[in-house]
Amino acid sequence: MEYPIFRRKIYSKLLKWKKESGGKTALLIEGARRIGKSTIVEEFAKKEYTRYLIIDFAYVSDNIKSLFNDLTDLQYFFVSLQALTGKALIPGESVIIFDEVQFCPKARQAIKLLVKDGRFHYIETGSLISIKKNIKDILIPSEERCISMFPMDFEEFLWAIGKDATYQLIQYSYEKVKPLGEKVNRDLMKLFRLYMLVGGMPQSVAEYLEKGEFSEVDKIKRDIITLYINDFKRIDSTGKASEIFKSIPGQLSRDLSRFRIGEVIPNSRYSRLTEIFTELDESFTVDFCYLCQDPNVGMSLNADRDIFKMYICDTGLFVTMCFWDKDFTDNHLYQKLLTDKLAANLGYVYENVVAQLLRSSGHALYYNIFRMKMGNEGKEINYEIDFLISHGEKICPIEVKSSGYKAHKSLVLFKEKYSSRIEESYVLTTKDVHKEGSTIYLPVYMASLL
């Protein structure tokens, strides 16, 4: 199957890089596998350059790889490269793409000399799960600019299914805090639930558009999840990384206040698994949300890196992982999401998609737990805020509610405790836009706009 080329927001970032850099820096696209990095980069090269050359280091010959062992004669390097690939390039009008650059660390190191030479532009793509493992013996070029890429967000999904103008209405409603109307919101929630089921992996979206069968989409998602699990096994032969990855839906489903590593890897502590958690984070397959006990601007300075939650980078994958041990036909989650009958105890699915959308729109993820004395006996009770983001010099607490949106005592108490630090407070729900007092209620599909 030849997959369609989907419109992606990162294209505008590529254009900006080309205009601002003028070839003085190379561009590294960071992101998980199968999110469409190679596809969008090749599409960019086709449209924005006279000629381009792609070197896919996952499959390229040893003869081409060996060219990067000695770059003392760049003229010989370029002549040999074009001869071996059969591609003639035009200086000043061509781009060379190092695809899957993690398989040839010396090519990444060569960027410094190649950029300085100035004949061509350079773009690198690769899976960070491998990139970080393969750089200990090379010099990372300072001429390398990095940008992050994520699975398709809801707006990109709407573009893909032919609803190009829909998000303009969503954005207008958000900016004006103006209700969309019950019917419009209901229709948009149907589309958003579809997005949650299919996910933002281009292969999954393409499969849905071609066949319209969730069972076929599910097969694609299972293949991607298996690919990730196998990747983790390659970089961590103990199997701990893959076990942690697979355990994420189960931990979220129990509404735990933190990821409990001891339940996944018995007798283990975070400090003993620091490298594994770093690899999970840098793979972009997992979104970490850290506890911030002193919620204020500069939350990264106050975050407790030993206490966190983890979310799967794509909610479509997350839904499939929730019933990994069952056949598709036994999956109650699909049916409940499609018919808007998701039980309150399955609200963690909405929590995962909010984490995904906040992360892809540029926010680091933090949450807060605070204790307050309640009742005549003064008993202390724990309260939790799902997400915290910063706007300027203020913070915005966010609560996610799949049902019963009017009950959010944690948010009320948090606002009383930190009133001077808060700009806006939000409840993300399935209901239409409205405002009650100082709290703004938004449909969950507006999470990317926060």
Side-chain angles (χ1 to χ4, degrees):
M1 174 183 174
E2 185 174 343
Y3 294 105
I5 307 297
F6 294 117
R7 179 184 171 193
R8 304 296 298 271
K9 293 179 180 178
I10 199 171
Y11 197 97
S12 62
K13 294 182 179 180
L14 295 172
L15 284 172
K16 183 179 180 182
W17 162 76
K18 183 186 178 188
K19 180 180 179 181
E20 294 180 350
S21 170
K24 294 180 181 178
T25 62
L27 187 69
L28 172 65
I29 311 293
E30 303 177 322
R33 295 182 71 181
R34 299 292 181 88
I35 61 169
K37 298 187 298 294
S38 302
T39 301
I40 199 65
V41 166
E42 183 171 6
E43 183 71 2
F44 177 74
K46 285 179 181 178
K47 291 182 176 180
E48 308 301 333
Y49 291 88
T50 304
R51 294 184 183 175
Y52 69 95
L53 167 63
I54 297 179
I55 306 174
D56 187 342
F57 287 109
Y59 303 103
V60 76
S61 70
D62 290 337
N63 288 336
I64 291 178
K65 283 186 178 180
S66 67
L67 293 177
F68 293 91
N69 293 331
D70 184 359
L71 294 176
T72 54
D73 186 346
L74 284 179
Q75 181 62 27
Y76 173 78
F77 169 82
F78 287 121
V79 169
S80 300
L81 182 63
Q82 292 173 83
L84 288 170
T85 60
K87 291 272 191 175
L89 300 176
I90 303 174
E93 300 179 27
S94 304
V95 61
I96 298 177
I97 299 167
F98 292 168
D99 200 16
E100 302 291 357
V101 72
Q102 72 272 10
F103 291 113
C104 189
K106 287 188 176 180
R108 190 177 180 197
Q109 180 174 260
I111 286 295
K112 183 177 183 67
L113 289 174
L114 297 176
V115 167
K116 183 178 180 181
D117 173 76
R119 266 174 261 198
F120 309 111
H121 288 189
Y122 299 90
I123 301 176
E124 306 163 87
T125 74
S127 167
L128 292 190
I129 202 169
S130 301
I131 283 178
K132 298 295 183 180
K133 275 287 185 179
N134 292 348
I135 62 173
K136 65 177 183 178
D137 297 322
I138 71 169
L139 180 67
I140 298 300
S142 59
E143 295 78 7
E144 185 180 79
R145 182 180 298 176
C146 301
I147 60 174
S148 301
M149 186 173 178
F150 300 92
M152 298 165 74
D153 65 16
F154 184 47
E155 184 176 9
E156 291 172 319
F157 179 78
L158 290 174
W159 294 342
I161 64 174
K163 305 280 186 182
D164 295 51
T166 302
Y167 211 78
Q168 296 176 24
L169 176 62
I170 293 173
Q171 190 160 9
Y172 178 83
S173 173
Y174 168 79
E175 291 173 353
K176 302 296 183 181
V177 195
K178 183 179 179 65
L180 290 156
E182 184 178 344
K183 183 182 184 305
V184 173
N185 178 64
R186 186 168 59 246
D187 291 343
L188 288 171
M189 278 305 306
K190 287 180 182 177
L191 289 173
F192 189 69
R193 290 195 298 273
L194 176 63
Y195 167 68
M196 293 169 69
L197 291 173
V198 174
M201 293 296 185
Q203 279 182 278
S204 300
V205 177
E207 192 74 13
Y208 172 76
L209 290 174
E210 183 188 25
K211 299 179 180 177
E213 294 286 341
F214 286 117
S215 58
E216 296 301 313
V217 175
D218 193 67
K219 291 175 185 176
I220 296 293
K221 292 191 291 178
R222 285 175 182 267
D223 289 344
I224 296 172
I225 293 164
T226 300
L227 179 72
Y228 288 171
I229 291 171
N230 290 337
D231 275 345
F232 284 124
K233 288 179 179 178
R234 279 196 291 271
I235 66 170
D236 171 40
S237 59
T238 69
K240 292 177 181 177
S242 58
E243 288 303 312
I244 291 170
F245 177 72
K246 290 186 290 185
S247 73
I248 292 173
Q251 294 250 341
L252 287 176
S253 70
R254 293 162 56 198
D255 197 26
L256 301 175
S257 62
R258 63 186 295 178
F259 187 88
R260 296 183 181 177
I261 185 59
E263 296 182 4
V264 183
I265 312 294
N267 304 315
S268 291
R269 296 180 180 177
Y270 174 82
S271 58
R272 299 175 185 172
L273 299 170
T274 300
E275 184 177 355
I276 289 177
F277 283 118
T278 298
E279 288 165 348
L280 284 164
D281 189 19
E282 292 174 344
S283 74
F284 277 54
T285 61
V286 174
D287 294 325
F288 278 73
C289 184
Y290 293 100
L291 178 68
C292 182
Q293 287 289 46
D294 183 18
N296 212 332
V297 290
M299 284 184 281
S300 62
L301 301 175
N302 301 315
D304 188 334
R305 300 289 166 174
D306 292 340
I307 303 178
F308 53 83
K309 294 182 179 183
M310 286 191 285
Y311 300 94
I312 301 298
C313 69
D314 178 72
T315 301
L317 300 182
F318 179 84
V319 169
T320 294
M321 291 175 70
C322 286
F323 63 98
W324 187 251
D325 58 343
K326 296 181 181 179
D327 185 75
F328 170 81
T329 55
D330 296 328
N331 175 32
H332 67 288
L333 205 54
Y334 269 74
Q335 297 303 320
K336 287 184 178 295
L337 268 170
L338 279 173
T339 58
D340 195 23
K341 294 180 179 178
L342 191 67
N345 63 352
L346 293 176
Y348 58 90
V349 181
Y350 281 100
E351 193 175 326
N352 194 95
V353 78
V354 170
Q356 175 189 342
L357 295 179
L358 289 176
R359 185 75 181 88
S360 64
S361 59
H363 294 290
L365 302 180
Y366 302 99
Y367 73 109
N368 177 259
I369 297 174
F370 61 99
R371 296 175 65 86
M372 293 193 72
K373 292 182 179 180
M374 304 299 293
N376 295 329
E377 297 179 1
K379 182 180 179 181
E380 284 197 336
I381 299 175
N382 280 344
Y383 293 94
E384 183 176 322
I385 298 298
D386 293 326
F387 298 103
L388 292 170
I389 60 175
S390 59
H391 278 179
E393 298 180 353
K394 298 285 187 175
I395 60 171
C396 300
I398 301 169
E399 282 283 270
V400 182
K401 298 289 183 181
S402 60
S403 62
Y405 71 95
K406 290 186 178 294
H408 45 81
K409 192 169 186 178
S410 294
L411 187 61
V412 172
L413 294 174
F414 183 87
K415 288 163 63 178
E416 292 177 358
K417 185 176 177 69
Y418 297 108
S419 59
S420 62
R421 304 181 184 183
I422 296 172
E423 181 188 62
E424 300 282 7
S425 58
Y426 298 97
V427 176
L428 297 180
T429 178
T430 60
K431 306 302 181 182
D432 197 1
V433 176
H434 65 284
K435 187 172 183 178
E436 294 182 11
S438 59
T439 300
I440 299 175
Y441 295 78
L442 299 175
V444 68
Y445 50 77
M446 292 185 177
S448 292
L449 297 170
L450 294 175

